[in-house]
Structure formats: C-alpha cells, structure tokens
Amino acid sequence: DGLARLYDLERGLEGFGDSISLVRRAELYLQAAYISFGAGKYDNALQWCNRILNEKGIEAHVESHVLGRMLHLMCLLELRKNDLLPYVLRNTQRSIRVRSRSLAMEETLIICIRAWPRSKSDRDRKSCFQDLADQLLELSDQQSEAALLDQVNIFAWAISRATERPFAELVMERW
C-alpha cells in the first residue's frame, strides 16, 4: 500500500533530504502527492505539492514544476478551496509567462479549473470535465504531453469528475 510507505519516505527525506538531488526530491514529492491524491487524501497531497513548489530552483526543472502545479490546482478544486483558486491560477499563469512556454495540457486544465466555480449546475460542471477529458485525449497523441499524463493521470481524474466514478478505479483500469 502506497500510503503506508509515505511514512517511510518522510523519515528517509528527513535523514537524507539534503544529499538527494533537487530533481529526485521533487520526483519523490510528486509521487507522494499523487499517491495521496489517488487515495482521496487531498490535504496530504496538497502538502506534498507545496513541498515541490517551495523547492528553491524547481522552476528550472519544468516537468516536476508543471506537474506539481497542476496537481496543486486539482487538490484545491477537490478541497473546494474556491477562495484560493483565483490567486493560484494567476500565479500559475505568471509562472507560464516567465517560463515563456506552456504545455497544452497545462493550459487546458487552467481553463477547466477557472470555469468550474462559475458553473451553475452539476451538469455544467460534469460537462466542463468531459471537455477537459476530450481535449486531454487529443493531446495524448503528442509525445511530450503523453509522458506527463503517464506520471499524473489528469485524464482519469477528468473522467472521474465527469462520470462520478472513483478516480482510483479508473487509474487501476488503465493499468
């Protein structure tokens, strides 16, 4: 069980964190966040995401930074932290401008999450996530986008939100 191993990971990071490279540490944080997210432990996932985003110099490692930001947004939405979403969305877009390039799936997720609080009905919210899933499916043909979707399955999350099926069940079906 992945959740049971998080305690061991935490202890290992406390003992060896400074001697582990920034990229490896960020990858471990991301995996811990994703495990927590998949188990429905969104507060815990958010804490791991914050650790990624607070790493000095992480911006230079685009993949870890982007996945951390996207998972962070997903956690905020799951936790219904609507008051934080506008700030985090602005911060994410600022990060994209500084980086001077964005990934299509990142932009697609931002559009969906921006629209979600303004959706008036459950049907509108489900439609928003179905649109996200459809766009992600198209993007999965692009090698760079597909590689990121393999690390954090945003497609399964979008389907989960659109169909109200458990996220973990959808991820298990894929594998």
Side-chain angles (χ1 to χ4, degrees):
D1 180 42
L3 281 176
R5 303 294 302 182
L6 290 181
Y7 176 75
D8 294 333
L9 175 63
E10 187 73 44
R11 282 196 357 240
L13 286 168
E14 287 172 8
F16 300 103
D18 293 337
S19 63
I20 301 172
S21 75
L22 170 64
V23 174
R24 186 63 185 138
R25 219 174 24 249
E27 288 173 358
L28 290 169
Y29 294 161
L30 184 63
Q31 290 173 12
Y34 191 53
I35 288 168
S36 299
F37 186 86
K41 307 288 186 193
Y42 305 119
D43 282 320
N44 201 22
L46 190 61
Q47 289 174 0
W48 285 106
C49 288
N50 286 334
R51 289 176 79 169
I52 297 168
L53 300 176
N54 289 331
E55 281 284 340
K56 186 175 179 160
I58 193 63
E59 301 84 12
H61 304 283
V62 174
E63 190 173 286
S64 297
H65 188 241
V66 167
L67 288 171
R69 281 195 177 280
M70 290 191 304
L71 195 51
H72 187 258
L73 285 167
M74 293 161 56
C75 289
L76 291 175
L77 190 130
E78 289 294 344
L79 292 167
R80 299 194 185 287
K81 293 190 180 258
N82 296 349
D83 55 327
L84 293 177
L85 279 173
Y87 167 77
V88 175
L89 284 167
R90 280 192 310 273
N91 195 19
T92 300
Q93 289 184 301
R94 188 176 318 115
S95 173
I96 292 169
R97 279 194 305 274
V98 168
R99 193 175 356 126
S100 72
R101 80 172 180 91
S102 68
L103 295 165
M105 106 176 169
E106 184 179 22
E107 292 286 348
T108 303
L109 179 64
I110 289 170
I111 291 166
C112 177
I113 289 182
R114 179 172 280 122
W116 182 78
R118 294 189 297 245
S119 299
K120 301 293 184 215
S121 68
D122 282 344
R123 194 172 97 196
D124 289 343
R125 286 185 198 96
K126 288 178 184 177
S127 176
C128 172
F129 285 102
Q130 187 59 57
D131 291 345
L132 173 62
D134 294 343
Q135 291 173 29
L136 290 172
L137 187 59
E138 287 179 29
L139 292 172
S140 68
D141 290 338
Q142 298 174 19
Q143 190 173 9
S144 61
E145 304 283 336
L148 292 176
L149 283 169
D150 279 344
Q151 290 184 53
V152 175
N153 195 338
I154 298 169
F155 174 76
W157 176 70
I159 293 294
S160 169
R161 297 290 304 204
T163 62
E164 296 184 354
R165 288 185 58 205
F167 172 70
E169 178 182 298
L170 291 168
V171 170
M172 293 297 282
E173 277 180 14
R174 179 164 187 240
W175 294 108

